[in-house]
Amino acid sequence: MSQIKKTAKALPGWTVEGEALWRTFTFDHFLKGIDFVQNVAAYSEGAQHHPVITIDHTAVSIKWTTVDEGKLTQKDIDAAQACNQFFEN
């Protein structure tokens, strides 16, 4: 197992499935989830690394993978950590 996958598996709340990181964040209100998505979108644009985002009322699911490399990379780890910070704040 690669060091990136080992690091990914240790990320709080995240699941590694194949070459992707997944997590569902749950919010008290729909608009809190939308605020979270806006933070993720701003981060993504700055990093030029974009996730798959699914919004289902108060649940927001995020999937990170580095498509152009066909695997998990440090970009995905950094992005997942940023999501955790957005969620905690």
Side-chain angles (χ1 to χ4, degrees):
M1 178 182 304
S2 73
Q3 184 59 43
I4 290 292
K5 280 196 176 180
K6 287 178 186 175
T7 302
K9 287 184 179 225
L11 287 169
W14 291 87
T15 301
V16 176
E17 291 182 10
E19 294 298 328
L21 274 170
W22 292 85
R23 182 171 177 185
T24 298
F25 298 87
T26 305
F27 300 89
D28 294 336
H29 303 283
F30 176 75
L31 291 178
K32 285 185 181 181
I34 297 302
D35 288 342
F36 171 78
V37 168
Q38 288 176 324
N39 285 328
V40 173
Y43 171 87
S44 299
E45 279 297 295
Q48 286 300 297
H49 187 55
H50 302 87
V52 173
I53 300 174
T54 304
I55 302 168
D56 185 5
H57 188 58
T58 58
V60 176
S61 297
I62 305 283
K63 174 187 169 188
W64 291 104
T65 190
T66 304
V67 175
D68 58 340
E69 294 194 33
K71 63 182 180 179
L72 285 172
T73 67
Q74 188 62 46
K75 288 190 227 179
D76 305 307
I77 302 295
D78 295 344
Q81 290 172 328
C83 287
N84 283 356
Q85 289 177 339
F86 299 143
F87 184 67
E88 292 167 7
N89 293 328

